[in-house]
Amino acid sequence: MRVRTAAILIALVGSFWLPTPGAEAQTASSGMRTAQASPPVAPEASAPRRRPPTRLRVYPQYAPGPDDVYPRYYPGRNAVRDCTAIYVQEYRPSGTVIVPRMNCFWRGG
């Protein structure tokens, strides 16, 4: 019984180790190798040229200072902040509401 099991095991291992006919690596012909190594063909004259992507300028967003004034700049000596507050109607799905609006600017004092 052991001899039979050993013979079957050796036959299985041998069948996996032996190379199969026709399973060899393929080599490309010399014409194929030169075609793959050649530089790409120039685009046709009728093809539209691609523009470089547009460059976007990114500016940092500064938080308002302790007095909630933005942008932060020096308005000049003796400058005064002049604000005008009004109430306006806004039409919303829940109904018309009245909300405050404020506009401020710096003026010389």
Side-chain angles (χ1 to χ4, degrees):
M1 182 83 170
R2 288 183 178 172
V3 174
R4 181 193 262 175
T5 307
I8 293 173
L9 184 63
I10 289 174
L12 285 174
V13 170
S15 66
F16 288 117
W17 279 358
L18 292 175
T20 58
E24 299 171 4
Q26 297 177 355
T27 58
S29 64
S30 63
M32 177 67 89
R33 278 190 236 135
T34 56
Q36 289 177 349
S38 65
V41 179
E44 297 178 16
S46 64
R49 291 186 171 197
R50 288 193 58 178
R51 292 187 352 190
T54 304
R55 299 193 71 157
L56 299 176
R57 294 179 185 233
V58 178
Y59 297 100
Q61 183 154 358
Y62 297 105
D67 56 354
D68 293 330
V69 177
Y70 179 80
R72 197 112 180 103
Y73 63 93
Y74 181 66
R77 261 182 85 216
N78 300 326
V80 178
R81 187 173 171 197
D82 191 8
C83 295
T84 305
I86 58 170
Y87 291 101
V88 295
Q89 288 184 355
E90 284 189 1
Y91 303 99
R92 298 184 181 177
S94 60
T96 305
V97 294
I98 298 173
V99 294
R101 293 277 169 89
M102 182 179 285
N103 294 322
C104 297
F105 62 93
W106 290 99
R107 66 174 177 84

